[in-house]
Amino acid sequence: MTAPATSPASADTLDLTTEIARDLIRFDTTNYGEGRSNGETDAAEYVAEKLRALGLAPELFDSEPGRTSVVARVPGRDRSTGALVVHGHLDVVPADPANWSVDPFGGEIKDGMLWGRGAVDMKNMDAMILASLTDVLDQGGQPERDLIIAFFADEEAGGVFGSHHLVDTRPDLFAGATEAISEVGGYSISIGGERAYLLQTGEKALIWLKLVAHGPAGHGSRLVTDNAITRLAEAVAKVGRRQWPIRLTNTTRQLLSEIARILGVEPQSMGPDELALATGTASGFIQASLRTTMNPTVLQAGYKHNVIPDRAEALIDVRSLPGEEDAVLAELAELVGPDIEIVVMHRDVGLETEFAGPLIDRIVQTLDTHDPGAPVLPYLMPAGTDNKALSKLGIKGYGFAPLKLPANLDFPALFHGVDERVPLDALVFGRTVLTDLLTTY
Ligand SMILES: [Zn+2]
């Protein structure tokens, strides 16, 4: 088929996955956090239409005006086995066009890649889900077990208006579900020149908190010893400088020993950070999974050069190892001292699942079919996903958005990064692997 001369990458020549991902990127579903968002409704209507075209009956749910999530159930051949939730989120984090080399919401295709906010996190997987579902249902086909297809709003702000809202108000939508797959796992990395896939089998806990310092307001020329900004700055520096000790969990211990095996060294001969660094581009994720992290992310205080404000605030993004949340909060309180108020704005559980069982076996076998010999390694994701909300229903969640990537692409840096982009052939790979998995599991 001949494409129009003006558009070398027209829909005619694109794989369905790329076409859907590009369309989704063009909906600016920016989520600014703290309830401010451009909304997901247009993108939700779009995916609902795709699901309807497959003969499914998607339901749309608005937790707030504009905050739309979509859920559809696909009946499987064997309805007695546990259903699999296959989910993605429709929102994206903000993108400042001034930093980008392309329009972040243009869905541009160049250099064999699709560019735009969401190309990695996670309109790529949203598209892979829809394209593979098209393949599975093609000509009257059926998945092996019931699939619950969900596209959530608000993941980038903790899922309050998306996954948590649906899990809390409509748990019946997920009846019979035992497992889930979604984002931030399944992509390939390079270890010692060998391609390997990271499968996400756990997530750190998250605590978003605010530090508040109070002090007397007054003229900027006064002699003041309890200036709120000074006190806050001291506390923020202590938090930001604190080095949390390494503590290995089952997942990270297994991951490090697998890295050592691939490198051909004794696990004890290299330290955990050293082994993590051997994963190259993925080392940022992996090093952060070995300990608690606390990053100051926002500072707010003052309104005039010669006025001392009575209050100063800092936002801190805390990611603790699963189960250590309360101990970490207690240690933080000690670190900042009694004069600093700590306000927890949002917190969510950590998760850790065994790297074993029929779904893991199926995933490993499927990847081996499509990329023979490449090992699959478990990892603990330092950030969070909608799997946290689903875990409230006892659903075990994994990060599996399969992408076979070139070794020179720093893929982990593209999550929330500038010039977010994904290779077109990786999208086709993901569609093929997911189709295979959903047909046979
Ligand atoms: Zn995401």
Side-chain angles (χ1 to χ4, degrees):
M1 197 175 286
T2 313
T6 50
S7 176
S10 81
D12 290 346
T13 60
L14 293 179
D15 180 79
L16 178 64
T17 323
T18 306
E19 192 189 311
I20 296 173
R22 181 202 57 187
D23 290 350
L24 285 172
I25 287 170
R26 290 178 177 170
F27 296 107
D28 178 353
T29 54
T30 298
N31 188 344
Y32 299 95
E34 295 175 2
R36 290 188 308 118
S37 158
N38 289 351
E40 295 88 356
T41 303
D42 291 345
E45 301 277 7
Y46 173 91
V47 301
E49 199 43 54
K50 293 282 176 200
L51 292 167
R52 279 185 212 111
L54 296 175
L56 302 171
E59 290 184 79
L60 282 74
F61 305 91
D62 282 16
S63 56
E64 293 275 322
R67 310 310 304 273
T68 314
S69 299
V70 182
V71 181
R73 191 176 277 256
V74 187
R77 266 187 288 270
D78 180 358
R79 305 207 71 177
S80 67
T81 48
L84 177 69
V85 184
V86 185
H87 61 104
H89 61 81
L90 295 170
D91 59 327
V92 293
V93 294
D96 181 355
N99 298 327
W100 285 58
S101 65
V102 296
D103 172 2
F105 300 101
E108 214 172 292
I109 291 165
K110 62 167 189 168
D111 307 331
M113 299 205 225
L114 171 66
W115 299 59
R117 181 56 91 216
V120 168
D121 187 4
M122 65 170 294
K123 289 172 171 174
N124 58 346
M125 176 62 169
D126 293 337
M128 279 153 51
I129 293 169
L130 288 168
S132 62
L133 206 52
T134 306
D135 297 339
V136 171
L137 300 178
D138 193 32
Q139 293 162 2
Q142 227 179 342
E144 188 54 30
R145 62 186 63 222
D146 270 22
L147 302 178
I148 298 162
I149 308 295
F151 295 97
F152 294 118
D154 199 38
E155 193 277 341
E156 295 293 359
V160 175
F161 298 108
S163 58
H164 277 291
H165 173 79
L166 276 189
V167 161
D168 293 344
T169 60
R170 291 294 308 273
D172 56 297
L173 293 169
F174 305 97
T178 49
E179 295 164 308
I181 55 171
S182 187
E183 59 174 338
V184 214
Y187 57 91
S188 69
I189 60 168
S190 180
I191 303 172
E194 189 180 334
R195 189 167 49 248
Y197 288 83
L198 288 180
L199 176 64
Q200 191 253 101
T201 55
E203 300 182 2
K204 287 170 82 178
L206 79 83
I207 310 167
W208 289 338
L209 54 86
K210 185 192 278 192
L211 301 182
V212 187
H214 302 273
H219 199 286
S221 65
R222 286 174 58 214
L223 174 65
V224 168
T225 54
D226 50 358
N227 180 311
I229 293 182
T230 309
R231 292 227 313 271
L232 180 79
E234 284 165 352
V236 168
K238 280 183 200 157
V239 169
R241 294 268 176 229
R242 171 82 166 96
Q243 292 190 10
W244 293 86
I246 288 178
R247 187 179 71 77
L248 300 184
T249 68
N250 288 339
T251 308
T252 52
R253 197 172 294 113
Q254 202 170 350
L255 170 63
L256 293 178
S257 79
E258 279 295 295
I259 295 170
R261 185 187 61 75
I262 292 169
L263 294 173
V265 300
E266 285 296 319
Q268 308 308 330
S269 69
M270 288 168 75
D273 275 322
E274 213 182 339
L275 284 167
L277 285 169
T279 63
T281 57
S283 60
F285 274 175
I286 293 173
Q287 282 190 290
S289 74
L290 305 177
R291 71 262 284 168
T292 288
T293 60
M294 278 190 192
N295 277 304
T297 48
V298 175
L299 281 174
Q300 275 166 342
Y303 48 91
K304 178 79 169 68
H305 210 144
N306 58 354
V307 179
I308 301 168
D310 66 346
R311 179 185 178 93
E313 300 181 351
L315 302 187
I316 313 289
D317 187 344
V318 179
R319 309 290 177 138
S320 89
L321 293 169
E324 290 192 354
E325 298 94 312
D326 290 332
V328 160
L329 276 176
E331 201 166 335
L332 173 85
E334 201 156 309
L335 195 64
V336 299
D339 291 342
I340 301 287
E341 186 190 349
I342 299 172
V343 185
V344 175
M345 319 278 290
H346 179 78
R347 77 184 267 184
D348 211 334
V349 292
L351 307 172
E352 193 163 20
T353 313
E354 235 190 318
F355 184 58
L359 176 56
I360 300 287
D361 292 346
R362 194 64 237 146
I363 285 174
V364 170
Q365 283 161 17
T366 306
L367 277 173
D368 195 58
T369 303
H370 296 278
D371 192 358
V376 182
L377 320 176
Y379 93 111
L380 178 70
M381 223 254 292
T385 74
D386 287 322
N387 280 331
K388 290 189 190 309
L390 293 170
S391 77
K392 293 194 285 190
L393 300 174
I395 299 169
K396 285 184 186 174
Y398 303 91
F400 186 63
L403 294 170
K404 181 180 168 187
L405 298 166
N408 62 357
L409 179 69
D410 187 352
F411 188 72
L414 296 176
F415 284 87
H416 301 191
V418 168
D419 282 342
E420 193 175 336
R421 60 198 185 276
V422 64
L424 302 185
D425 56 3
L427 293 175
V428 175
F429 176 85
R431 171 187 183 174
T432 314
V433 171
L434 267 190
T435 300
D436 198 347
L437 178 72
L438 300 183
T439 312
T440 57
Y441 177 60

